[in-house]
Each structure stands twice: as structure tokens, then as C-alpha cells.
Amino acid sequence: DQQVKQNSPSLSVQEGRISILNCDYTNSMFDYFLWYKKYPAEGPTFLISISSIKDKNEDGRFTVFLNKSAKHLSLHIVPSQPGDSAVYFCAAMGNGANSKLTFGKGITLSVRP
Amino acid sequence: KAGVTQTPRYLIKTRGQQVTLSCSPISGHRSVSWYQQTPGQGLQFLFEYFSETQRNKGNFPGRFSGRQFSNSRSEMNVSTLELGDSALYLCASIPLAIGSGANVLTFGAGSRLTVL
């Protein structure tokens, strides 16, 4: 059962435009969400996170939006740059003693120069 | 400070063999998690170790096992390898157990296993 879903496997965007990466989740116990970026031959690196008590978190060109009622979050990258081309993973976790990070399958973002 | 170190980076095995992968977490980090990455399934959680104890386990068969040593270094072992075990195995560390005020995993570069 895929509790974190990234339904679009890929996204192509023109340099300078906005990239919007979507993520849906099914587990209402999730209360913390993260985005990771992964380049080939490297491990994923943390990008940005958001707690369920917020609906928006911004860090430079990256903004994450959370819609709890829809169980949906999105990552906006503005403006997109060729160096942003990578695989982006959405991850979620709940609270408690047996918390673990559950990842989606990832979205491959290509930013065209 | 040094990041998460995984060895070996690449290895090739044949079906039926077993493999051991090693992970050295960031100094001072006591929790180590392992993930399997395959093209169709993304990152799937294998297990988490904290203070030498397995704290959480994913839905993988018993052929997948792990352990953590007193210096927080961790190993995972896969026995009786199958073709479907070919994947990138990622290790991540965190100062405390996941959820105990610590949420952001730092990943190593991974060990790429190919089973022929």
C-alpha cells in the first residue's frame, strides 16, 4: 500500500519558469513532510520540510505547500534552473515511538535551458 | 565533519550468494536507517537501528537483516540473493531515533548491488 504517492513520474520545465511537484498521502497520522533531491550516483539530500501545523514553508527559491484536508502537498521551485534537474522524493512521517520516513517513488524533473 | 560513508560503492554478485554492506554514520549520530531504491518502487524502508537495537522494520523478507555496533556503525546483510535484489542500498543517519525530535535524515551515496 503506497502511503505516499507521487503520481507523475516526470516533469519538464523551461528554465526560469515555475516547477510544481505534487505529492499525495493517505495516512492521516502523518504530521511532518520533507522533500529530498537526488542526483545520479549520489544519495538524496534534504531540501525543505513542513510541519502539519503549517500550510506553507519557504526557503529561497523553494516553497512547500501543505493542504491537510486534501492530504496533498506540493513543492514549487521559482525560478527553475538547469541545476535543479534531479529526482525529487516526497517523504512523510508520523509521531511516536515507531516513527519512520515513508517515501514516494520520486519525480524526475528536467529543466530545459 | 565527515558525512555518511557506505562501502562498497559497487558490487556484483550471483544468485544464491550473500552480501554484506557497511555504513558509517556521521560522528555523533546514533540512529541508522537503511533503504532500498529501485527504479519502479522509489525508496523503500528496510530497517532502523538505534543504540544497537532494531527499532523499526519494513516489509522485507527475512533474507534481509542488519545490525548496529557500539560505535553506531551498521551493516546489512542479504542472503540467498535473487535477481530482484539488484538495487541501490542507501544508509542514512540521524542524531537521535527518528521522531524523537529528529526528522531529517542525512544519506550516504549508497551501495549499488547488481545480482546476475
Side-chain angles (χ1 to χ4, degrees), chain B residues 70-102:
Chain B
S70 58
N71 61 358
S72 293
R73 190 177 71 85
S74 177
E75 287 181 350
M76 67 163 282
N77 184 279
V78 188
S79 62
T80 320
L81 284 166
E82 301 176 359
L83 296 179
D85 297 332
S86 294
L88 179 67
Y89 290 88
L90 291 159
C91 167
S93 75
I94 204 164
L96 303 172
I98 294 173
S100 305

PDB file of all heavy atoms in Angstrom, chain B residues 70-102:
ATOM      1  N   SER B  70      28.484  -0.926  18.659  1.00  0.00           N
ATOM      2  CA  SER B  70      28.516   0.062  19.743  1.00  0.00           C
ATOM      3  C   SER B  70      29.032   1.420  19.275  1.00  0.00           C
ATOM      4  O   SER B  70      28.733   2.440  19.888  1.00  0.00           O
ATOM      5  CB  SER B  70      29.372  -0.450  20.902  1.00  0.00           C
ATOM      6  OG  SER B  70      30.682  -0.726  20.469  1.00  0.00           O
ATOM      7  N   ASN B  71      29.780   1.452  18.177  1.00  0.00           N
ATOM      8  CA  ASN B  71      30.262   2.747  17.661  1.00  0.00           C
ATOM      9  C   ASN B  71      29.276   3.350  16.647  1.00  0.00           C
ATOM     10  O   ASN B  71      29.620   4.285  15.933  1.00  0.00           O
ATOM     11  CB  ASN B  71      31.643   2.583  17.011  1.00  0.00           C
ATOM     12  CG  ASN B  71      31.613   1.622  15.823  1.00  0.00           C
ATOM     13  OD1 ASN B  71      30.580   1.046  15.497  1.00  0.00           O
ATOM     14  ND2 ASN B  71      32.767   1.451  15.191  1.00  0.00           N
ATOM     15  N   SER B  72      28.071   2.787  16.579  1.00  0.00           N
ATOM     16  CA  SER B  72      26.969   3.217  15.721  1.00  0.00           C
ATOM     17  C   SER B  72      27.112   2.785  14.267  1.00  0.00           C
ATOM     18  O   SER B  72      26.155   2.947  13.498  1.00  0.00           O
ATOM     19  CB  SER B  72      26.731   4.742  15.766  1.00  0.00           C
ATOM     20  OG  SER B  72      26.279   5.114  17.039  1.00  0.00           O
ATOM     21  N   ARG B  73      28.240   2.230  13.882  1.00  0.00           N
ATOM     22  CA  ARG B  73      28.364   1.697  12.523  1.00  0.00           C
ATOM     23  C   ARG B  73      27.356   0.568  12.336  1.00  0.00           C
ATOM     24  O   ARG B  73      27.022  -0.151  13.280  1.00  0.00           O
ATOM     25  CB  ARG B  73      29.777   1.179  12.283  1.00  0.00           C
ATOM     26  CG  ARG B  73      30.074   0.823  10.824  1.00  0.00           C
ATOM     27  CD  ARG B  73      31.532   0.371  10.663  1.00  0.00           C
ATOM     28  NE  ARG B  73      31.769  -0.938  11.247  1.00  0.00           N
ATOM     29  CZ  ARG B  73      31.560  -2.097  10.640  1.00  0.00           C
ATOM     30  NH1 ARG B  73      31.077  -2.116   9.413  1.00  0.00           N
ATOM     31  NH2 ARG B  73      31.832  -3.244  11.254  1.00  0.00           N
ATOM     32  N   SER B  74      26.873   0.446  11.121  1.00  0.00           N
ATOM     33  CA  SER B  74      25.827  -0.553  10.864  1.00  0.00           C
ATOM     34  C   SER B  74      26.193  -1.386   9.643  1.00  0.00           C
ATOM     35  O   SER B  74      26.914  -0.929   8.743  1.00  0.00           O
ATOM     36  CB  SER B  74      24.481   0.138  10.641  1.00  0.00           C
ATOM     37  OG  SER B  74      23.469  -0.794  10.316  1.00  0.00           O
ATOM     38  N   GLU B  75      25.723  -2.592   9.639  1.00  0.00           N
ATOM     39  CA  GLU B  75      25.846  -3.471   8.476  1.00  0.00           C
ATOM     40  C   GLU B  75      24.479  -4.024   8.131  1.00  0.00           C
ATOM     41  O   GLU B  75      23.646  -4.235   9.028  1.00  0.00           O
ATOM     42  CB  GLU B  75      26.781  -4.645   8.784  1.00  0.00           C
ATOM     43  CG  GLU B  75      28.248  -4.286   8.870  1.00  0.00           C
ATOM     44  CD  GLU B  75      29.123  -5.503   9.147  1.00  0.00           C
ATOM     45  OE1 GLU B  75      28.584  -6.589   9.464  1.00  0.00           O
ATOM     46  OE2 GLU B  75      30.359  -5.359   9.047  1.00  0.00           O
ATOM     47  N   MET B  76      24.257  -4.252   6.844  1.00  0.00           N
ATOM     48  CA  MET B  76      23.077  -5.010   6.452  1.00  0.00           C
ATOM     49  C   MET B  76      23.533  -6.189   5.605  1.00  0.00           C
ATOM     50  O   MET B  76      24.547  -6.118   4.907  1.00  0.00           O
ATOM     51  CB  MET B  76      22.038  -4.177   5.722  1.00  0.00           C
ATOM     52  CG  MET B  76      22.416  -3.665   4.366  1.00  0.00           C
ATOM     53  SD  MET B  76      20.950  -3.142   3.422  1.00  0.00           S
ATOM     54  CE  MET B  76      20.297  -4.728   2.880  1.00  0.00           C
ATOM     55  N   ASN B  77      22.802  -7.268   5.711  1.00  0.00           N
ATOM     56  CA  ASN B  77      23.151  -8.496   5.036  1.00  0.00           C
ATOM     57  C   ASN B  77      21.944  -8.988   4.238  1.00  0.00           C
ATOM     58  O   ASN B  77      20.813  -8.919   4.717  1.00  0.00           O
ATOM     59  CB  ASN B  77      23.574  -9.553   6.072  1.00  0.00           C
ATOM     60  CG  ASN B  77      24.046 -10.836   5.428  1.00  0.00           C
ATOM     61  OD1 ASN B  77      23.233 -11.672   5.038  1.00  0.00           O
ATOM     62  ND2 ASN B  77      25.341 -10.986   5.303  1.00  0.00           N
ATOM     63  N   VAL B  78      22.218  -9.435   3.042  1.00  0.00           N
ATOM     64  CA  VAL B  78      21.165 -10.075   2.248  1.00  0.00           C
ATOM     65  C   VAL B  78      21.662 -11.467   1.887  1.00  0.00           C
ATOM     66  O   VAL B  78      22.724 -11.610   1.269  1.00  0.00           O
ATOM     67  CB  VAL B  78      20.835  -9.294   0.964  1.00  0.00           C
ATOM     68  CG1 VAL B  78      19.611  -9.903   0.282  1.00  0.00           C
ATOM     69  CG2 VAL B  78      20.609  -7.820   1.250  1.00  0.00           C
ATOM     70  N   SER B  79      20.923 -12.475   2.291  1.00  0.00           N
ATOM     71  CA  SER B  79      21.326 -13.851   1.998  1.00  0.00           C
ATOM     72  C   SER B  79      20.519 -14.391   0.816  1.00  0.00           C
ATOM     73  O   SER B  79      19.476 -13.845   0.457  1.00  0.00           O
ATOM     74  CB  SER B  79      21.119 -14.733   3.222  1.00  0.00           C
ATOM     75  OG  SER B  79      19.737 -14.758   3.574  1.00  0.00           O
ATOM     76  N   THR B  80      21.031 -15.452   0.215  1.00  0.00           N
ATOM     77  CA  THR B  80      20.363 -16.114  -0.903  1.00  0.00           C
ATOM     78  C   THR B  80      19.841 -15.086  -1.906  1.00  0.00           C
ATOM     79  O   THR B  80      18.643 -14.946  -2.151  1.00  0.00           O
ATOM     80  CB  THR B  80      19.196 -16.997  -0.402  1.00  0.00           C
ATOM     81  OG1 THR B  80      19.557 -17.668   0.798  1.00  0.00           O
ATOM     82  CG2 THR B  80      18.850 -18.048  -1.460  1.00  0.00           C
ATOM     83  N   LEU B  81      20.760 -14.360  -2.481  1.00  0.00           N
ATOM     84  CA  LEU B  81      20.409 -13.255  -3.366  1.00  0.00           C
ATOM     85  C   LEU B  81      19.541 -13.684  -4.536  1.00  0.00           C
ATOM     86  O   LEU B  81      19.726 -14.763  -5.119  1.00  0.00           O
ATOM     87  CB  LEU B  81      21.684 -12.583  -3.887  1.00  0.00           C
ATOM     88  CG  LEU B  81      22.412 -11.684  -2.900  1.00  0.00           C
ATOM     89  CD1 LEU B  81      23.810 -11.356  -3.398  1.00  0.00           C
ATOM     90  CD2 LEU B  81      21.616 -10.416  -2.648  1.00  0.00           C
ATOM     91  N   GLU B  82      18.606 -12.817  -4.879  1.00  0.00           N
ATOM     92  CA  GLU B  82      17.730 -13.006  -6.037  1.00  0.00           C
ATOM     93  C   GLU B  82      17.966 -11.857  -7.017  1.00  0.00           C
ATOM     94  O   GLU B  82      18.459 -10.795  -6.624  1.00  0.00           O
ATOM     95  CB  GLU B  82      16.267 -13.031  -5.600  1.00  0.00           C
ATOM     96  CG  GLU B  82      15.953 -14.130  -4.598  1.00  0.00           C
ATOM     97  CD  GLU B  82      14.514 -14.069  -4.105  1.00  0.00           C
ATOM     98  OE1 GLU B  82      13.774 -13.144  -4.533  1.00  0.00           O
ATOM     99  OE2 GLU B  82      14.133 -14.937  -3.298  1.00  0.00           O
ATOM    100  N   LEU B  83      17.588 -12.081  -8.284  1.00  0.00           N
ATOM    101  CA  LEU B  83      17.777 -11.036  -9.286  1.00  0.00           C
ATOM    102  C   LEU B  83      17.105  -9.733  -8.866  1.00  0.00           C
ATOM    103  O   LEU B  83      17.630  -8.639  -9.083  1.00  0.00           O
ATOM    104  CB  LEU B  83      17.230 -11.498 -10.640  1.00  0.00           C
ATOM    105  CG  LEU B  83      17.917 -12.701 -11.287  1.00  0.00           C
ATOM    106  CD1 LEU B  83      17.241 -13.051 -12.610  1.00  0.00           C
ATOM    107  CD2 LEU B  83      19.403 -12.426 -11.502  1.00  0.00           C
ATOM    108  N   GLY B  84      15.938  -9.853  -8.234  1.00  0.00           N
ATOM    109  CA  GLY B  84      15.175  -8.680  -7.830  1.00  0.00           C
ATOM    110  C   GLY B  84      15.809  -7.883  -6.705  1.00  0.00           C
ATOM    111  O   GLY B  84      15.318  -6.798  -6.371  1.00  0.00           O
ATOM    112  N   ASP B  85      16.881  -8.405  -6.124  1.00  0.00           N
ATOM    113  CA  ASP B  85      17.576  -7.661  -5.067  1.00  0.00           C
ATOM    114  C   ASP B  85      18.520  -6.618  -5.646  1.00  0.00           C
ATOM    115  O   ASP B  85      19.086  -5.809  -4.906  1.00  0.00           O
ATOM    116  CB  ASP B  85      18.370  -8.619  -4.174  1.00  0.00           C
ATOM    117  CG  ASP B  85      17.472  -9.609  -3.447  1.00  0.00           C
ATOM    118  OD1 ASP B  85      16.296  -9.280  -3.190  1.00  0.00           O
ATOM    119  OD2 ASP B  85      17.948 -10.731  -3.145  1.00  0.00           O
ATOM    120  N   SER B  86      18.691  -6.624  -6.963  1.00  0.00           N
ATOM    121  CA  SER B  86      19.532  -5.613  -7.599  1.00  0.00           C
ATOM    122  C   SER B  86      18.922  -4.242  -7.336  1.00  0.00           C
ATOM    123  O   SER B  86      17.763  -3.984  -7.674  1.00  0.00           O
ATOM    124  CB  SER B  86      19.612  -5.849  -9.114  1.00  0.00           C
ATOM    125  OG  SER B  86      20.275  -7.062  -9.397  1.00  0.00           O
ATOM    126  N   ALA B  87      19.695  -3.372  -6.727  1.00  0.00           N
ATOM    127  CA  ALA B  87      19.160  -2.076  -6.311  1.00  0.00           C
ATOM    128  C   ALA B  87      20.295  -1.224  -5.764  1.00  0.00           C
ATOM    129  O   ALA B  87      21.418  -1.690  -5.584  1.00  0.00           O
ATOM    130  CB  ALA B  87      18.083  -2.254  -5.229  1.00  0.00           C
ATOM    131  N   LEU B  88      19.926   0.024  -5.474  1.00  0.00           N
ATOM    132  CA  LEU B  88      20.823   0.905  -4.732  1.00  0.00           C
ATOM    133  C   LEU B  88      20.391   0.844  -3.272  1.00  0.00           C
ATOM    134  O   LEU B  88      19.233   1.094  -2.949  1.00  0.00           O
ATOM    135  CB  LEU B  88      20.709   2.340  -5.249  1.00  0.00           C
ATOM    136  CG  LEU B  88      21.577   3.391  -4.547  1.00  0.00           C
ATOM    137  CD1 LEU B  88      23.063   3.124  -4.815  1.00  0.00           C
ATOM    138  CD2 LEU B  88      21.203   4.785  -5.020  1.00  0.00           C
ATOM    139  N   TYR B  89      21.308   0.491  -2.391  1.00  0.00           N
ATOM    140  CA  TYR B  89      21.001   0.406  -0.964  1.00  0.00           C
ATOM    141  C   TYR B  89      21.573   1.636  -0.278  1.00  0.00           C
ATOM    142  O   TYR B  89      22.777   1.881  -0.314  1.00  0.00           O
ATOM    143  CB  TYR B  89      21.557  -0.887  -0.369  1.00  0.00           C
ATOM    144  CG  TYR B  89      20.783  -2.085  -0.874  1.00  0.00           C
ATOM    145  CD1 TYR B  89      21.147  -2.729  -2.058  1.00  0.00           C
ATOM    146  CD2 TYR B  89      19.648  -2.535  -0.200  1.00  0.00           C
ATOM    147  CE1 TYR B  89      20.405  -3.799  -2.550  1.00  0.00           C
ATOM    148  CE2 TYR B  89      18.905  -3.596  -0.683  1.00  0.00           C
ATOM    149  CZ  TYR B  89      19.282  -4.220  -1.859  1.00  0.00           C
ATOM    150  OH  TYR B  89      18.539  -5.269  -2.349  1.00  0.00           O
ATOM    151  N   LEU B  90      20.676   2.396   0.315  1.00  0.00           N
ATOM    152  CA  LEU B  90      21.042   3.664   0.928  1.00  0.00           C
ATOM    153  C   LEU B  90      20.974   3.577   2.442  1.00  0.00           C
ATOM    154  O   LEU B  90      20.050   2.995   3.006  1.00  0.00           O
ATOM    155  CB  LEU B  90      20.090   4.770   0.447  1.00  0.00           C
ATOM    156  CG  LEU B  90      20.235   5.167  -1.022  1.00  0.00           C
ATOM    157  CD1 LEU B  90      18.973   5.852  -1.512  1.00  0.00           C
ATOM    158  CD2 LEU B  90      21.441   6.076  -1.213  1.00  0.00           C
ATOM    159  N   CYS B  91      21.964   4.170   3.053  1.00  0.00           N
ATOM    160  CA  CYS B  91      22.010   4.263   4.507  1.00  0.00           C
ATOM    161  C   CYS B  91      21.863   5.740   4.878  1.00  0.00           C
ATOM    162  O   CYS B  91      22.342   6.624   4.155  1.00  0.00           O
ATOM    163  CB  CYS B  91      23.339   3.708   4.998  1.00  0.00           C
ATOM    164  SG  CYS B  91      23.728   4.057   6.710  1.00  0.00           S
ATOM    165  N   ALA B  92      21.177   5.995   5.973  1.00  0.00           N
ATOM    166  CA  ALA B  92      21.005   7.370   6.429  1.00  0.00           C
ATOM    167  C   ALA B  92      21.170   7.427   7.932  1.00  0.00           C
ATOM    168  O   ALA B  92      20.825   6.466   8.639  1.00  0.00           O
ATOM    169  CB  ALA B  92      19.624   7.891   6.039  1.00  0.00           C
ATOM    170  N   SER B  93      21.698   8.525   8.434  1.00  0.00           N
ATOM    171  CA  SER B  93      21.861   8.635   9.879  1.00  0.00           C
ATOM    172  C   SER B  93      21.207   9.903  10.403  1.00  0.00           C
ATOM    173  O   SER B  93      20.932  10.857   9.660  1.00  0.00           O
ATOM    174  CB  SER B  93      23.345   8.584  10.270  1.00  0.00           C
ATOM    175  OG  SER B  93      24.019   9.801   9.982  1.00  0.00           O
ATOM    176  N   ILE B  94      20.967   9.896  11.692  1.00  0.00           N
ATOM    177  CA  ILE B  94      20.278  10.983  12.373  1.00  0.00           C
ATOM    178  C   ILE B  94      20.762  10.965  13.814  1.00  0.00           C
ATOM    179  O   ILE B  94      21.094   9.901  14.334  1.00  0.00           O
ATOM    180  CB  ILE B  94      18.748  10.782  12.241  1.00  0.00           C
ATOM    181  CG1 ILE B  94      17.996  12.077  12.385  1.00  0.00           C
ATOM    182  CG2 ILE B  94      18.243   9.701  13.136  1.00  0.00           C
ATOM    183  CD1 ILE B  94      16.576  11.980  11.884  1.00  0.00           C
ATOM    184  N   PRO B  95      20.831  12.116  14.493  1.00  0.00           N
ATOM    185  CA  PRO B  95      21.399  12.114  15.839  1.00  0.00           C
ATOM    186  C   PRO B  95      20.654  11.219  16.842  1.00  0.00           C
ATOM    187  O   PRO B  95      21.281  10.481  17.595  1.00  0.00           O
ATOM    188  CB  PRO B  95      21.318  13.584  16.253  1.00  0.00           C
ATOM    189  CG  PRO B  95      21.338  14.336  14.980  1.00  0.00           C
ATOM    190  CD  PRO B  95      20.600  13.483  14.006  1.00  0.00           C
ATOM    191  N   LEU B  96      19.319  11.317  16.811  1.00  0.00           N
ATOM    192  CA  LEU B  96      18.508  10.521  17.733  1.00  0.00           C
ATOM    193  C   LEU B  96      17.603   9.616  16.927  1.00  0.00           C
ATOM    194  O   LEU B  96      17.609   9.652  15.704  1.00  0.00           O
ATOM    195  CB  LEU B  96      17.657  11.450  18.619  1.00  0.00           C
ATOM    196  CG  LEU B  96      18.417  12.479  19.446  1.00  0.00           C
ATOM    197  CD1 LEU B  96      17.436  13.443  20.096  1.00  0.00           C
ATOM    198  CD2 LEU B  96      19.263  11.780  20.502  1.00  0.00           C
ATOM    199  N   ALA B  97      16.816   8.825  17.585  1.00  0.00           N
ATOM    200  CA  ALA B  97      15.862   7.986  16.875  1.00  0.00           C
ATOM    201  C   ALA B  97      14.878   8.863  16.114  1.00  0.00           C
ATOM    202  O   ALA B  97      14.513   9.950  16.572  1.00  0.00           O
ATOM    203  CB  ALA B  97      15.126   7.090  17.865  1.00  0.00           C
ATOM    204  N   ILE B  98      14.459   8.386  14.964  1.00  0.00           N
ATOM    205  CA  ILE B  98      13.507   9.129  14.140  1.00  0.00           C
ATOM    206  C   ILE B  98      12.257   9.414  14.963  1.00  0.00           C
ATOM    207  O   ILE B  98      11.694   8.532  15.605  1.00  0.00           O
ATOM    208  CB  ILE B  98      13.151   8.334  12.876  1.00  0.00           C
ATOM    209  CG1 ILE B  98      14.381   8.199  11.979  1.00  0.00           C
ATOM    210  CG2 ILE B  98      12.032   9.019  12.105  1.00  0.00           C
ATOM    211  CD1 ILE B  98      14.168   7.289  10.794  1.00  0.00           C
ATOM    212  N   GLY B  99      11.824  10.661  14.925  1.00  0.00           N
ATOM    213  CA  GLY B  99      10.623  11.042  15.647  1.00  0.00           C
ATOM    214  C   GLY B  99      10.913  11.605  17.031  1.00  0.00           C
ATOM    215  O   GLY B  99      10.075  12.274  17.614  1.00  0.00           O
ATOM    216  N   SER B 100      12.117  11.349  17.528  1.00  0.00           N
ATOM    217  CA  SER B 100      12.459  11.845  18.863  1.00  0.00           C
ATOM    218  C   SER B 100      13.035  13.255  18.752  1.00  0.00           C
ATOM    219  O   SER B 100      14.134  13.536  19.219  1.00  0.00           O
ATOM    220  CB  SER B 100      13.480  10.904  19.523  1.00  0.00           C
ATOM    221  OG  SER B 100      13.015   9.597  19.538  1.00  0.00           O
ATOM    222  N   GLY B 101      12.303  14.115  18.068  1.00  0.00           N
ATOM    223  CA  GLY B 101      12.794  15.469  17.838  1.00  0.00           C
ATOM    224  C   GLY B 101      13.747  15.548  16.671  1.00  0.00           C
ATOM    225  O   GLY B 101      14.247  16.605  16.329  1.00  0.00           O
ATOM    226  N   ALA B 102      14.013  14.445  16.008  1.00  0.00           N
ATOM    227  CA  ALA B 102      14.932  14.417  14.866  1.00  0.00           C
ATOM    228  C   ALA B 102      14.167  13.884  13.660  1.00  0.00           C
ATOM    229  O   ALA B 102      13.580  12.810  13.724  1.00  0.00           O
ATOM    230  CB  ALA B 102      16.133  13.537  15.162  1.00  0.00           C
TER     231      ALA B 102
END
